[in-house]
Amino acid sequence: NEWMKKANATAPAINVIENDKEYKVEVAAPGMNKEDFNVHVDENGNLVIAMEKKCGCKDKDECKEKEKKNRYLRREFSYTKFQQTLILPEDVVKDNINASMCDGVLCIELPRKAPETKENITKVIEIK
């Protein structure tokens, strides 16, 4: 849709779900944990999802040594660094955005403002 461009093939898959109360963004992130993500609203009011896989080793040399010992025979997901910016719809309550990790999926809940209802109040005007 117009508020999210198609990501490139090396980026994690993203689902965007909408209902009356919220939008929900799901990012497929196998092997990642919440410490690998930075989710924030930038100065322009856009949602920024950034991810960088931390090696977990004590230093870079240890990570390089680990990479040399292991050889992939097939590799279909490899997300080391990623950033996606989403232009948020105007009805998102930016102060109430929540994010959680569950089973390799980052879930971001974007609550929607309640639709404004205009009261149909009739007023009798007294003629003087």
Side-chain angles (χ1 to χ4, degrees):
N1 63 30
E2 68 276 356
W3 62 281
M4 188 180 123
K5 293 181 182 178
K6 174 82 172 106
N8 64 39
T10 60
I14 296 178
N15 293 333
V16 179
I17 304 158
E18 173 187 22
N19 64 41
D20 293 341
K21 295 183 179 184
E22 69 180 357
Y23 298 98
K24 188 173 187 179
V25 177
E26 299 174 331
V27 181
M32 303 295 169
N33 57 49
K34 66 181 184 177
E35 289 78 20
D36 297 327
F37 284 93
N38 177 335
V39 179
H40 64 277
V41 176
D42 69 11
E43 64 277 357
N44 297 318
N46 301 320
L47 180 70
V48 178
I49 305 166
M51 178 207 59
E52 185 170 4
K53 181 64 180 166
K54 312 295 190 288
C55 174
C57 301
K58 294 176 185 174
D59 58 30
K60 288 183 180 182
D61 291 333
E62 186 180 342
C63 284
K64 287 179 185 176
E65 195 62 36
K66 194 185 278 188
E67 287 176 16
K68 287 179 186 177
K69 291 179 183 177
N70 295 318
R71 185 178 63 144
Y72 285 92
L73 299 177
R74 181 175 178 148
R75 190 172 195 172
E76 291 190 2
F77 67 86
S78 173
Y79 312 134
T80 54
K81 195 170 189 178
F82 159 81
Q83 181 170 316
Q84 178 77 45
T85 301
L86 306 178
I87 300 169
L88 295 175
E90 291 183 20
D91 64 344
V92 170
V93 181
K94 293 175 182 151
D95 292 336
N96 294 344
I97 296 173
N98 292 306
S100 61
M101 272 305 276
C102 183
D103 298 328
V105 177
L106 173 68
C107 296
I108 304 167
E109 296 171 347
L110 308 162
R112 297 173 85 165
K113 294 176 188 171
E116 293 182 24
T117 56
K118 294 182 181 177
E119 294 181 27
N120 291 328
I121 300 175
T122 58
K123 180 178 179 184
V124 177
I125 300 171
E126 182 182 340
I127 301 173
K128 296 180 183 179

